[in-house]
């Protein structure tokens, strides 16, 4: 019962913390709230008109929503690059960043689930995915595996930080025998969520653009480049605008992870391009459409030819330690990588898989204003959730939020 009182106090103090802050903080939260409301309005249009309000058709049935879902699965998995050194390898340099990384994973997973709901048309069809009630089709369906690993990873990334913060809120150290097994499990689970998502596409033999043995490994490489790149950018903001201490060597170590993952991702990209264009077959038409256009259709050319140079330039610059250790250059390169991989794992991966169609027909896809509005609204929701989680965690870690025991006095003490 006493632990429940402590938890209740922590929730109360957290609510008090997240509703107070500087003018910049209130402007930021107000802007995110406004964007979320715009997204909700766009979603009501979609609920009213159905998926016909989006650019999706029976020819291209996955678009902006699933593109963002695929990318954010990688962002969520990237938290493991901080969890493993901190909890498993006992690297103290990562300790300042690990809770921030796990908070980012929670926000990314919530956005993943929101994008799936948006792509399904509405929440009323979600019951189909509930085991025992809907047609779950486990273990044959890769989609059901995806549901399990995503929700499982979300549970792990909520419970471990919650336990650690709960202990720190009381001024106590977290017991490693309680959270370390979960942390080790999360390392394998993070790899699983990304591989299962890759297998979801890879197992579709009718889509040769996805039916590629490199898809799973490249998913992981791009995730471990884009995710830590975002973590670096978030840590830079936290370092400049809060009292939370983020050491330079922590950022430099994460930068090394980004660099190695980006290099591997680039090598895999070159390997894929060689396979598609050195000895092309009719299965290479999807890649031709993406990189050069096909039969006069070239809607994706501006996207992919923005992503590739950004990817190459950022990776090359980060390869040199002199540039990588210059934080202004590092932040610029991380932003470039994040945008490049978002395009590559978004439009560059999902849409070309549907083109050309089964009868050779090219039906191009571009998102509508409603889709873009819902997408931006979901991203704003993710940023809102992460801001709340980070502000609470920073308050507890810096000692501003601590449990205060209420002292009781009997009548003798009062007289």
């Amino acid at each position: 019962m006493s632990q429940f009182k402590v938890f209740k106090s922590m929730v109360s103090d957290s609510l008090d913390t997240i509703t107070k802050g500087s003018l910049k903080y209130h402007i930021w939260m107000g802007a995110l709230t406004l964007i979320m409301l715009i997204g909700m309005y766009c979603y009501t249009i979609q609920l009213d008109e159905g998926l016909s309000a989006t650019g999706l058709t029976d020819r291209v049935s996955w678009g902006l929503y699933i593109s963002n879902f695929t990318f954010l699965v990688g962002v969520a998995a990237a938290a493991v690059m901080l969890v493993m050194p901190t909890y498993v390898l006992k690297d103290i340099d990562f300790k300042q960043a690990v809770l921030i990384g796990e908070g980012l994973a929670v926000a990314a997973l919530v956005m993943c689930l929101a994008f799936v709901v948006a792509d399904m048309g509405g929440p009323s069809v979600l019951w189909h995915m509930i085991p025992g009630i809907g047609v779950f089709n486990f273990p044959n369906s890769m989609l059901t595996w995806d549901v399990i690993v995503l929700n499982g990873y979300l549970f792990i990334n909520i419970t471990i930080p919650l336990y650690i913060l709960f202990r720190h809120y009381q001024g106590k150290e977290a017991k490693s025998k309680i959270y370390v097994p979960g942390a080790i499990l999360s390392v394998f689970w993070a790899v699983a969520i990304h591989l299962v998502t890759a297998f979801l596409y890879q197992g579709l033999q009718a889509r040769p653009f996805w039916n590629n043995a490199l898809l799973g490994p490249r998913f992981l490489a791009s995730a471990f480049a884009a995710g830590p790149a975002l973590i670096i950018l978030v840590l830079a903001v936290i370092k400049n605008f809060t009292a939370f201490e983020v050491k330079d060597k922590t950022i430099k170590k994460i930068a090394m992870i980004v660099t190695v993952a980006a290099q591997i991702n680039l090598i895999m990209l070159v390997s894929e391009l060689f396979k598609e264009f050195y000895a092309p077959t009719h299965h290479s038409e999807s890649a031709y459409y993406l990189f050069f256009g096909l039969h006069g259709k070239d809607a994706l050319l501006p996207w992919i030819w923005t992503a590739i140079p950004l990817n190459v330039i950022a990776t090359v610059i980060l390869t040199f330690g002199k540039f990588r250790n210059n934080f202004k250059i590092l932040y610029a390169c991380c932003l470039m990588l994040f945008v490049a991989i978002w395009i590559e794992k978004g439009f560059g991966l999902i849409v070309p898989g549907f083109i050309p169609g089964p009868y050779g027909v090219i039906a191009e896809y571009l998102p509508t204003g409603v889709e873009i509005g819902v997408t931006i609204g979901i991203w704003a929701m993710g940023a809102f959730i992460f801001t709340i989680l980070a502000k609470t965690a920073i308050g507890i870690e810096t000692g501003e939020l601590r449990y205060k025991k209420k002292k009781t006095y009997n009548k003798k003490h009062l007289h």
Side-chain angles (χ1 to χ4, degrees):
M1 192 66 181
S2 62
Q3 292 297 301
F4 177 75
K5 284 182 179 179
V6 176
F7 183 75
K8 187 178 176 182
S9 174
M10 187 173 83
V11 172
S12 177
D13 286 347
S14 299
L15 289 172
D16 188 54
T17 299
I18 63 177
T19 52
K20 293 176 181 176
S22 64
L23 179 62
K24 287 180 181 178
Y25 171 75
H26 285 293
I27 291 172
W28 166 249
M29 297 299 275
L32 291 178
T33 303
L34 177 62
I35 296 169
M36 282 192 288
L37 290 172
I38 294 170
M40 288 174 66
Y41 171 71
C42 292
Y43 189 57
T44 59
I45 296 173
Q46 181 178 308
L47 286 176
D48 182 51
E49 299 181 13
L51 286 172
S52 61
T54 69
L56 300 172
T57 62
D58 57 345
R59 298 288 174 86
V60 182
S61 53
W62 289 343
L64 189 60
Y65 296 151
I66 296 301
S67 298
N68 279 279
F69 161 77
T70 307
F71 174 73
L72 286 166
V73 168
V75 172
V80 77
M81 300 310 289
L82 301 180
V83 170
M84 188 165 64
T86 305
Y87 297 145
V88 182
L89 303 179
K90 308 292 183 184
D91 190 332
I92 58 170
D93 290 344
F94 282 90
K95 268 201 170 176
Q96 291 84 9
V98 68
L99 289 173
I100 302 299
E102 289 184 328
L104 202 61
V106 170
L109 286 165
V110 171
M111 285 192 280
C112 284
L113 298 173
F115 276 117
V116 170
V117 172
D119 186 72
M120 292 176 78
S124 59
V125 295
L126 280 180
W127 66 273
H128 289 291
M129 300 302 297
I130 301 173
I133 300 175
V135 186
F136 200 57
N137 198 23
F138 181 82
N140 297 326
S141 170
M142 286 305 303
L143 187 59
T144 60
W145 280 97
D146 215 28
V147 170
I148 291 168
V149 293
L150 283 173
N151 284 286
Y153 192 60
L154 178 60
F155 176 77
I156 292 170
N157 275 279
I158 288 175
T159 51
I160 292 175
L162 183 62
Y163 167 72
I164 293 170
L165 291 172
F166 183 64
R167 293 287 293 182
H168 289 178
Y169 176 69
Q170 299 172 75
K172 301 175 182 177
E173 279 298 315
K175 295 177 181 178
S176 59
K177 65 180 180 181
I178 294 178
Y179 70 81
V180 167
I184 294 171
L185 178 64
S186 76
V187 172
F188 297 100
W189 211 293
V191 175
I193 67 168
H194 224 41
L195 284 180
V196 168
T197 306
F199 292 162
L200 193 62
Y201 302 112
Q202 203 173 330
L204 301 173
Q205 296 93 332
R207 306 289 178 185
F209 187 68
W210 299 332
N211 194 220
N212 182 342
L214 266 182
L215 194 64
R218 190 165 176 227
F219 260 42
L220 289 171
S222 59
F224 295 152
L230 179 59
I231 290 171
I232 286 174
L233 294 173
V234 169
L235 289 176
V237 173
I238 289 171
K239 185 179 180 182
N240 290 323
F241 291 97
T242 72
F244 190 66
E245 183 188 3
V246 180
K247 294 179 180 177
D248 288 352
K249 61 181 177 180
T250 301
I251 294 177
K252 287 177 181 178
K253 281 192 174 183
I254 301 172
M256 181 58 74
I257 293 170
V258 173
T259 304
V260 174
Q263 290 168 343
I264 295 171
N265 181 53
L266 208 56
I267 291 168
M268 289 183 179
L269 172 63
V270 172
S271 178
E272 285 189 0
L273 292 176
F274 178 82
K275 188 268 288 187
E276 296 288 3
F277 298 123
Y278 181 73
T281 66
H282 67 284
H283 285 162
S284 303
E285 288 186 329
S286 298
Y288 265 99
Y289 168 73
L290 174 62
F291 288 99
F292 305 110
L294 200 62
H295 307 314
K297 306 288 187 179
D298 56 7
L300 295 185
L301 286 189
W303 291 90
I304 198 64
W305 287 111
T306 298
I308 298 296
L310 286 177
N311 196 345
V312 172
I313 292 168
T315 304
V316 170
I317 292 173
L318 288 173
T319 301
F320 297 96
K322 181 182 177 181
F323 297 129
R324 188 173 62 247
N325 292 328
N326 183 320
F327 281 4
K328 287 184 179 179
I329 295 175
L330 173 65
Y331 298 152
C333 288
C334 286
L335 182 61
M336 288 162 65
L337 261 182
F338 185 80
V339 172
I341 293 173
W342 179 83
I343 295 171
E344 281 182 43
K345 285 184 71 179
F347 279 2
L349 173 70
I350 304 303
V351 179
F354 292 98
I355 296 171
Y359 301 106
V361 178
I362 298 174
E364 290 199 290
Y365 162 83
L366 282 174
T368 62
V370 169
E371 260 180 300
I372 294 169
V374 172
T375 298
I376 295 172
I378 292 174
W379 273 94
M381 179 187 72
F384 191 91
I385 291 170
F386 173 73
T387 304
I388 288 172
L389 294 175
K391 201 167 192 302
T392 303
I394 289 169
I396 292 173
E397 291 301 295
T398 56
E400 290 178 22
L401 287 184
R402 280 290 181 269
Y403 179 59
K404 301 176 183 67
K405 292 181 180 178
K406 294 179 180 177
K407 294 180 180 178
T408 55
Y409 296 92
N410 57 28
K411 287 183 180 180
K412 285 184 179 180
H413 289 107
L414 292 173
H415 291 290

